[in-house]
Amino acid sequence: METIALLKNKGNKLIVYLLTVFFSAMAFAQEKVGEAQTSENSTSTKTTTTTEWYADPVYLIAGAAILIIIVAFLTRARNKE
C-alpha cells in the first residue's frame, strides 16, 4: 500500500515537472510579431510630446496654494474654539 502511494506521488511530481518544461518550451518557441514580417522595410518617425497633468507646474502651484488655504482655515477654526 505504501509503495503504491509513493509511486503515485512520484508520478504526479514527474507529470508536473514535464508539463512545466513543455509549457516553458512552448513559450520560448513563440514567434515574435516583428520577426514575422521582414519582407517590407519602411521607416517612419513621429514625435509626440505629452505632459501629464501632475507634471504641469500650474497644477502643482494651484494645488499647493489650495492646500495652504485649507490648512490656514483649519488652524484658524481651532483657535476660535
Side-chain angles (χ1 to χ4, degrees), residues 1-12:
M1 202 62 154
E2 250 180 61
T3 308
I4 294 173
L6 181 66
L7 286 175
K8 282 184 180 180
N9 189 15
K10 294 290 183 179
N12 286 341

Side-chain angles (χ1 to χ4, degrees), residues 7-75:
L7 286 175
K8 282 184 180 180
N9 189 15
K10 294 290 183 179
N12 286 341
K13 286 183 181 181
L14 179 66
I15 289 171
V16 168
Y17 174 74
L18 290 175
L19 285 174
T20 304
V21 170
F22 174 73
F23 286 128
S24 66
M26 291 297 289
F28 282 119
Q30 289 182 356
E31 185 176 310
K32 290 189 171 42
V33 175
E35 293 176 3
Q37 302 168 352
T38 56
S39 63
E40 188 176 318
N41 205 0
S42 64
T43 304
S44 65
T45 304
K46 182 179 179 183
T47 305
T48 58
T49 304
T50 58
T51 304
E52 300 295 331
W53 65 270
Y54 51 82
D56 192 5
V58 173
Y59 291 112
L60 294 174
I61 293 169
I66 291 171
L67 181 65
I68 290 170
I69 291 170
I70 290 172
V71 169
F73 281 134
L74 289 175
T75 56

